[in-house]
Amino acid sequence: IALNYCYTNSKGKNMDNNIAAIGKRIQKCRENAGLTQQKVAEYMDWSTNFVSRLERGCTMTSVCKLCKLPNVLDTTVSAFFY
């Protein structure tokens, strides 16, 4: 899936499938919580674009922010990794 190829090296090779997998899990948790990307962005003090890029695996946030995200999504941090 094209969403998994945001982190690439100069030759276009995917560098980290784990980031994309975490992003997809975050998206699933957000959808399960019934929240829009805009609402998550408001609660986390992020831009909607950042939430979109996070869910697509194009960027990652700090561990500190990642640990606060479950409070917004009514889940646990482990839901992002398993």
Side-chain angles (χ1 to χ4, degrees):
I1 297 176
L3 299 179
N4 290 347
Y5 296 98
C6 292
Y7 271 110
T8 59
N9 64 19
S10 61
K11 296 180 182 179
K13 298 276 185 176
N14 188 9
M15 293 181 64
D16 197 347
N17 280 329
N18 291 326
I19 300 278
I22 291 168
K24 288 183 92 158
R25 290 184 193 110
I26 289 171
Q27 179 182 16
K28 184 171 175 62
C29 289
R30 176 184 59 78
E31 291 170 347
N32 288 344
L35 297 173
T36 63
Q37 289 180 342
Q38 183 175 356
K39 280 293 179 195
V40 172
E42 289 173 13
Y43 292 142
M44 294 296 295
D45 197 27
W46 290 338
S47 69
T48 304
N49 185 47
F50 182 82
V51 175
S52 174
R53 291 179 50 78
L54 181 67
E55 289 181 355
R56 289 182 288 131
C58 295
T59 193
M60 184 45 76
T61 188
S62 69
V63 172
C64 183
K65 287 270 192 170
L66 191 63
C67 289
K68 292 178 182 177
L69 187 55
N71 295 331
V72 173
L73 302 179
D74 193 30
T75 190
T76 63
V77 173
S78 64
F80 303 152
F81 297 96
Y82 304 103

